[in-house]
Amino acid sequence: MSLLSIAQHGEIAVVTLDNPPVNAISAAVRQALVAAVARCDADAAVRGVVLCCAGRTFLAGADVKEFGLPPVPPHLPDVVAAIEGAAKPWMAAIHGAALGGGLEIAMACRFRVAAPDARLGLPEVTLGVMPGASGTLRLPRLIGVAEAARMILTGTPVAAPWAQKAGLIDALIGGDLAEGAAAVLAERLAAPVPVPVSARPLGPCATEVLEAAEALAKRGGKAARVALETLRYATEVPYEAALIRERENFLALRASPEAAALRHVFFAERAAPRPVALKGVSPKTLGAVGVVGGGTMGAGIAAACLLAGLKVHLLERDTASLGRGRDTIGRTLRSAAARGKLPVEEAEARLAGLGAHTDAAGLAACDLVIEAVFEDIAVKRQVFADLDRACRPDTVLATNTSYLDPRRIAQGLSHPERFLGLHFFSPAHVMKLLEIIPVPQTAPATLATAFALGGRLGKVPVQSGICEGFIGNRILKRTRAEAEALLRAGVSIAEVDAAMRGFGFRMGPFETQDLGGLDIAYLQREGARAEGLEVAETLGDILVRAGRKGQKTFGGWYDYATDSRQPVTSAEVAALLAPHVAAPAPLPPALIVARMLAAMAAEGRAILDEGIAGGPAEIDLVQIHGYGFPREKGGPMYHAEAGLCPEAPVRATAS
Ligand code: 3H9
């Protein structure tokens, strides 16, 4: 099919755009649309025009691939103006999603109809930009400033039924959308055509609406703040003046380093679930999933599967542990229902369908089983020996380990080709990252099934080779060592944390350790020492030996009051570490950040050299989705590659 085709339905021309995969508005699409306006205007047989799209969705927005290039005319605002100014009224017929420039084009049409399951949104801020083709002017004119601000500043799309009630679309159409839209348009043309959206009035904004919008913008990044300023301006000046300001602000944001970084993440996230090596490999059907272990991790994984609509069977060693696991899963699902993630009755129905077993035989019907028991090789091996007997030979078996070598766990399996590692991050129903770790025998179909599970759970799946800590925890270990090296050189704990927060991390490295507990990594080091390995003493070891395990003992790198999570600089820590650290030698935050990021990138490069990660973008995804690296900075590899990470200073060297 050609990029744009026009069919005649009586007096209505149906313009169909076909630019797979998502009908992004490329330069060719813009040209075709402007030409279609002229062609329909010139055709005496045409009274009105329906714009619809082939494939899975209506226009998904401006073509993001063009954002890094010089703009090519006709620009999106030209297309919007041509459609709004057309002599024959246009109607947008939306299926799938109308996003960004796609919704802006729809709002330039005199009428909008949608399939009941369509979504509409202005997600530009998630790409570090803002609507740049009249979205900030038209949306408030259609649904009011308060709702428009919520959609623009959060970037969250709305469902078509909501959009109809709010006045964003005129009607919902079931069945054949193009035909239905043509019929509705023919009917509407019997009455006077409504004025263009741009001609509608937009009054000044109420103070409370502005305050709510300001609170939303504060939670967003720079793009949200600029979008709010643009929106506010649109309520104060005539349409044409606001249009100029919107375009200027859009172009400035488009050129920002944040937008470039967010585009990198956007494409990396879309490439990650489809590794080239698995092209053409079909995953196995995922009906029922088994989870072994109902502790924090197992219950989180089970909840994630239930939330994704999978049938789940939980296996525990006794009824008491099973009961505790079920309670945890129940709390998670009910809290998700309370937050509107799924209807309450649906949450209860899924919980009622949760299989609970104390014998591995209960998992016989599962297509995939994830083991999430204690990180002990002997315990895990026993679990897999039981699963090997109880499950079908084609059931995929996965271990959720963060540090153990999956090859050692797989030893003795009768069908190692169906085995791999799946490293979830806690809380497993929230955290997006899923590290997928094949062993040498893992079959492509097993690997494809793991990626399919990741997709089903809404995770960002990243394949990792086998090394200590895989991709994420290996980099974490290196950065923690760097943070301690800074302390040894005389930088304070609070300075390091503040610098990393200033860069965009929610918490600094020491605050994060206090939250998660210092004892976990300590016990791993002790385990390695017990096996005769040489593991250097860390400053963290000194604190754990003094009973300071983090927030749970009201003291780690910081002190905590019994009723507060507020970190307070600790005199005890200062005394404990005094023999190991230099005299205070503060370092500017930018240099602290440079040191920490350089360590991350250096470990990332080593990981790439060893073939542990497929590419630098995968490492960025791991850091963003598992370790709190600020998304708008693009990840440590992108940051270093883009030359945004200056060479680490030499003054405070790692000890
Ligand atoms: C904008 O519009 C600015 C304007 O206001 C002003 C301009 C002046 N461009 O997500 P998927 C590719 S900003 C180019 O897996 P799904 C994607 O990379 C834009 N490519 O599909 C992938 O490629 P590949 C505002 C795009 O079915 C393939 O399509 N719009 C674009 O799960 C499939 O993607 C947005 O932010 C794009 N805009 O979900 C919408 N979008 O196959 C972003 C996708 O080579 N898009 N691709 O890996 C989405 O949210 C989803 O793609 C969508 C479909 C919901 C549409």
Side-chain angles (χ1 to χ4, degrees):
M1 195 177 170
S2 58
L3 182 63
L4 184 146
S5 60
I6 304 182
Q8 198 74 26
H9 286 234
E11 292 178 314
I12 305 299
V14 175
V15 170
T16 305
L17 254 164
D18 187 14
N19 185 28
V22 294
N23 294 306
I25 312 164
S26 60
V29 168
R30 298 196 297 275
Q31 278 158 17
L33 278 171
V34 169
V37 170
R39 205 170 129 193
C40 292
D41 274 0
D43 190 340
V46 172
R47 283 192 64 216
V49 182
V50 166
L51 170 62
C52 60
C53 290
R56 65 173 106 156
T57 181
F58 190 73
L59 306 162
D63 189 336
V64 180
K65 288 192 199 83
E66 291 182 355
F67 276 15
L69 309 167
V72 174
H75 306 295
L76 201 46
D78 305 331
V79 181
V80 163
I83 289 176
E84 186 170 79
K88 314 289 170 72
W90 280 50
M91 169 183 272
I94 299 163
H95 78 288
L99 298 175
L103 181 56
E104 290 175 309
I105 286 184
M107 290 190 292
C109 294
R110 298 298 174 100
F111 306 96
R112 283 159 296 284
V113 294
D117 59 353
R119 293 179 304 128
L120 301 91
L122 292 175
E124 285 87 344
V125 291
T126 62
L127 286 162
V129 293
M130 50 166 267
S134 70
T136 60
L137 287 80
R138 288 176 198 273
L139 194 58
R141 282 174 164 80
L142 281 165
I143 64 171
V145 180
E147 291 301 342
R150 197 176 51 76
M151 281 178 69
I152 293 170
L153 303 180
T154 64
T156 312
V158 296
W162 185 93
Q164 186 194 13
K165 280 196 206 106
L168 180 51
I169 56 172
D170 305 300
L172 296 176
I173 293 188
D176 187 304
L177 184 59
E179 256 178 42
V184 172
L185 181 56
E187 205 181 288
R188 297 275 165 118
L189 290 180
V193 175
V195 295
V197 174
S198 63
R200 294 191 187 192
L202 180 63
C205 191
T207 318
E208 63 271 19
V209 171
L210 264 183
E211 280 170 3
E214 267 159 19
L216 283 179
K218 254 191 210 138
R219 271 184 257 147
K222 175 173 156 188
R225 291 193 294 279
V226 179
L228 174 59
E229 186 244 292
T230 315
L231 197 54
R232 192 202 311 241
Y233 189 67
T235 65
E236 293 164 356
V237 301
Y239 186 89
E240 290 308 326
L243 196 61
I244 293 169
R245 173 69 66 90
E246 184 199 63
R247 182 78 181 154
E248 284 168 1
N249 285 349
F250 166 78
L251 289 175
L253 284 173
R254 200 182 88 144
S256 67
E258 289 87 354
L262 286 167
R263 287 199 293 280
H264 159 73
V265 180
F266 175 88
F267 287 116
E269 282 171 349
R270 276 158 181 83
R274 293 182 303 243
V276 184
L278 291 180
K279 210 167 180 236
V281 181
S282 300
K284 297 182 182 179
T285 311
L286 281 176
V289 171
V291 177
V292 186
T296 309
M297 213 54 201
I301 295 169
C305 293
L306 285 173
L307 286 168
L310 288 160
K311 166 90 185 149
V312 177
H313 291 273
L314 180 66
L315 175 69
E316 257 293 1
R317 59 187 160 196
D318 53 46
T319 42
S321 313
L322 203 50
R324 281 193 295 275
R326 288 179 68 152
D327 288 349
T328 314
I329 298 167
R331 275 196 300 279
T332 306
L333 252 76
R334 288 184 185 115
S335 128
R339 280 178 288 116
K341 300 270 178 208
L342 75 171
V344 175
E345 319 76 61
E346 183 59 35
E348 292 304 333
R350 291 184 194 183
L351 284 169
L354 172 66
H357 314 272
T358 51
D359 187 328
L363 305 187
C366 291
D367 304 297
L368 184 150
V369 177
I370 304 163
E371 162 279 311
V373 302
F374 192 62
E375 284 276 82
D376 179 304
I377 190 89
V379 178
K380 286 189 188 272
R381 274 203 188 135
Q382 183 55 53
V383 167
F384 281 101
D386 295 344
L387 292 176
D388 207 25
R389 276 191 300 275
C391 296
R392 296 190 316 257
D394 66 331
T395 300
V396 171
L397 301 181
T399 175
N400 174 63
T401 179
S402 33
Y403 279 98
L404 297 174
D405 185 335
R407 290 169 300 199
R408 291 179 63 204
I409 302 173
Q411 273 164 16
L413 278 183
S414 59
H415 294 282
E417 70 280 0
R418 51 138 162 201
F419 177 85
L420 43 58
L422 285 181
H423 183 203
F424 286 83
F425 289 71
S426 188
H429 63 289
V430 176
M431 295 294 282
K432 289 264 181 206
L433 180 61
L434 176 64
E435 282 182 325
I436 298 179
I437 309 115
V439 295
Q441 302 97 318
T442 302
T446 304
L447 194 53
T449 308
F451 273 94
L453 175 77
R456 183 81 187 262
L457 301 186
K459 304 283 180 210
V460 175
V462 175
Q463 187 171 329
S464 170
I466 298 172
C467 64
E468 197 200 323
F470 311 123
I471 299 173
N473 282 341
R474 177 165 158 179
I475 294 179
L476 180 67
K477 189 175 171 187
R478 172 77 177 260
T479 41
R480 281 186 176 168
E482 190 64 20
E484 288 202 2
L486 284 161
L487 300 194
R488 289 182 196 272
V491 183
S492 77
I493 296 167
E495 277 174 315
V496 175
D497 279 340
M500 296 312 278
R501 269 188 272 108
F503 177 71
F505 280 87
R506 275 226 174 136
M507 298 174 96
F510 297 112
E511 291 159 340
T512 311
Q513 286 180 63
D514 275 358
L515 181 67
L518 277 68
D519 48 332
I520 303 167
Y522 168 79
L523 287 174
Q524 272 151 16
R525 287 190 293 271
E526 284 292 277
R529 285 170 191 135
E531 283 182 27
L533 296 172
E534 210 171 293
V535 180
E537 174 90 342
T538 70
L539 299 180
D541 290 340
I542 296 167
L543 300 192
V544 176
R545 288 202 189 103
R548 302 186 66 96
K549 297 180 185 170
Q551 285 190 20
K552 59 186 165 190
T553 57
F554 310 108
W557 293 100
Y558 297 93
D559 289 341
Y560 298 87
T562 46
D563 57 350
S564 167
R565 286 169 175 258
Q566 186 64 38
V568 177
T569 299
S570 169
E572 185 187 343
V573 170
L576 283 166
L577 301 187
H580 309 276
V581 302
L587 209 56
L591 294 187
I592 294 174
V593 170
R595 279 274 302 262
M596 295 290 284
L597 296 188
M600 275 181 214
E603 196 62 36
R605 276 190 289 273
I607 281 171
L608 285 175
D609 290 346
E610 292 168 32
I612 300 292
E618 272 101 320
I619 296 178
D620 289 336
L621 290 179
V622 166
Q623 291 303 307
I624 289 168
H625 290 291
Y627 298 85
F629 195 99
R631 188 180 172 86
E632 68 281 5
K633 297 284 170 37
M637 306 312 286
Y638 172 86
H639 201 73
E641 195 67 18
L644 299 167
C645 178
E647 280 302 307
V650 286
R651 189 171 68 73
T653 45
S655 57

